[in-house]
Amino acid sequence: ISTEALSSASLGAMGSLLEKLDNLLPTENGADSFRQLREDVGSISTKLVKLSGVQDPPLTVSYWIKDVRQLSYDMEDCVDQFIHAKADTKMDLIDVILGFRTRAEEVRERYNRFNLGYFLSRPTNTVVSHHLQTVYWEHKFVITVGMEGPRNEVTGWLQSNGDDEKELQLGVVSVLGVDGVVWDALSRAFPEGYCCSRIITTTTIENAALACCSYGPEHIFRMKPLSGDNSKELFIRTVFGPGKDCPQQFRYVTDEISRKCGGLPLAIICIANSTSEEVLKQVLKLCYSSLPHCLKTCLLYLCIYPENYIILKEDLVNQWLAEGFISTVEGKDTVEVAMRYFDEILGMGLIQPLDINSKKKTLS
């Protein structure tokens, strides 16, 4: 199992455990000890989140994450027994739960003994691989298919003369669609003034796009997938060359491949090149790495299904809830949060919508 998958599984288990401990704190005996245990587990969870972003971690990190995962599984089993136990047996289980404080302290001690905090200083940003750069430069003239409209619109924004009073001193246009950066630190490198300077940022995270342009949604350009016709045109250009048509016997296959790529240009180019398997892996890795931890856990759960399996949205959401992957968010219950997670994964093209019926139930 990869370190990324291990981290996501551990974070999912830890999140479920923390929520259950929170529910026990206000009502059960031994509140002080429970509170201390909750703080210990919360501290471990924080360290786990930070370590999960380390690139190419050493084996000591993987071993520690496995310890955390096993601790969370064992604790959650015990907490579940307590929740469903009869009143006369609950006191004994409280002592068992509190006994996990020793194991939690051991896990924290191993973190310090292995000096795992050292690895947090290493870069955690995702770097575009040489393979992806090669694909871009080999097809830089082909991938302009379907980009004329978006390009002209962004150009118009950049050429704004700044007469509007709301215009930023240092104009920033955010393109919401691909990987981005920590803007607060980066922006200090640019001078402020009225010289009509313009900056384009790209990101998959809407909050990052808003932060870059002073939370002005009118300065965000939202990239849309290619249309069906443009997707097919890009695929045909890549496979057969510019100006050439698709042979009759391949048209059905071409239509199907273009449709399954979901309008994503890089996916179309990778599939159109028979030698691009490694590139496709890099694309998927980049998409996965950019996900928040909560979505990584939910996405990895799909591995239990065979390839091309049809999943009902409601069934999948209920399974996420049963596994404890979903935590409540202020103002929303777990079902709403789980539905939003599904929609976010769907919107990123990591799962494909097959049909949406009259009751808004999505088949994927």
Side-chain angles (χ1 to χ4, degrees), residues 54-114:
V54 174
Q55 291 185 8
D56 301 321
L59 287 177
T60 50
V61 171
S62 299
Y63 292 150
W64 188 82
I65 292 176
K66 285 182 180 179
D67 287 344
V68 172
R69 183 184 61 171
Q70 193 59 51
L71 172 64
S72 60
Y73 284 164
D74 293 344
M75 285 189 67
E76 187 170 19
D77 287 344
C78 191
V79 170
D80 287 340
Q81 292 179 34
F82 174 84
I83 293 173
H84 301 290
K86 297 180 180 179
D88 57 347
T89 61
K90 283 195 171 185
M91 286 303 300
D92 293 336
L93 287 172
I94 287 178
D95 293 336
V96 175
I97 293 174
L98 294 178
F100 281 101
R101 281 195 61 189
T102 301
R103 284 183 60 182
E105 290 172 357
E106 290 174 351
V107 168
R108 295 178 63 186
E109 191 277 331
R110 279 195 291 275
Y111 177 91
N112 295 326
R113 175 154 40 94
F114 295 158

Side-chain angles (χ1 to χ4, degrees), residues 232-274:
K232 187 161 61 175
E233 180 185 353
L234 175 58
F235 183 80
I236 292 173
R237 279 194 187 187
T238 307
V239 174
F240 302 106
K244 296 185 179 179
D245 196 9
C246 175
Q248 181 66 36
Q249 64 268 31
F250 296 133
R251 288 187 178 178
Y252 175 76
V253 176
T254 298
D255 290 344
E256 283 296 296
I257 293 176
S258 301
R259 182 182 62 82
K260 288 193 173 184
C261 287
L264 302 177
L266 191 54
I268 294 172
I269 291 173
C270 289
I271 292 178
N273 286 269
S274 59

Side-chain angles (χ1 to χ4, degrees), residues 205-308:
I205 305 170
E206 185 167 4
N207 285 338
L210 285 168
C212 289
C213 55
S214 299
Y215 294 91
E218 68 275 11
H219 295 288
I220 294 181
F221 181 84
R222 298 177 182 273
M223 291 295 295
K224 297 179 181 179
L226 295 178
S227 66
D229 290 340
N230 284 332
S231 295
K232 187 161 61 175
E233 180 185 353
L234 175 58
F235 183 80
I236 292 173
R237 279 194 187 187
T238 307
V239 174
F240 302 106
K244 296 185 179 179
D245 196 9
C246 175
Q248 181 66 36
Q249 64 268 31
F250 296 133
R251 288 187 178 178
Y252 175 76
V253 176
T254 298
D255 290 344
E256 283 296 296
I257 293 176
S258 301
R259 182 182 62 82
K260 288 193 173 184
C261 287
L264 302 177
L266 191 54
I268 294 172
I269 291 173
C270 289
I271 292 178
N273 286 269
S274 59
T275 58
S276 295
E277 181 178 353
E278 184 60 32
V279 177
L280 187 57
K281 289 180 180 178
Q282 291 289 340
V283 172
L284 292 175
K285 184 176 181 180
L286 283 172
C287 293
Y288 177 80
S289 299
S290 67
L291 293 174
H293 297 295
C294 54
L295 294 188
K296 286 181 179 179
T297 303
C298 293
L299 182 62
L300 284 176
Y301 187 77
L302 297 177
C303 293
I304 68 172
Y305 295 103
E307 186 178 359
N308 295 323

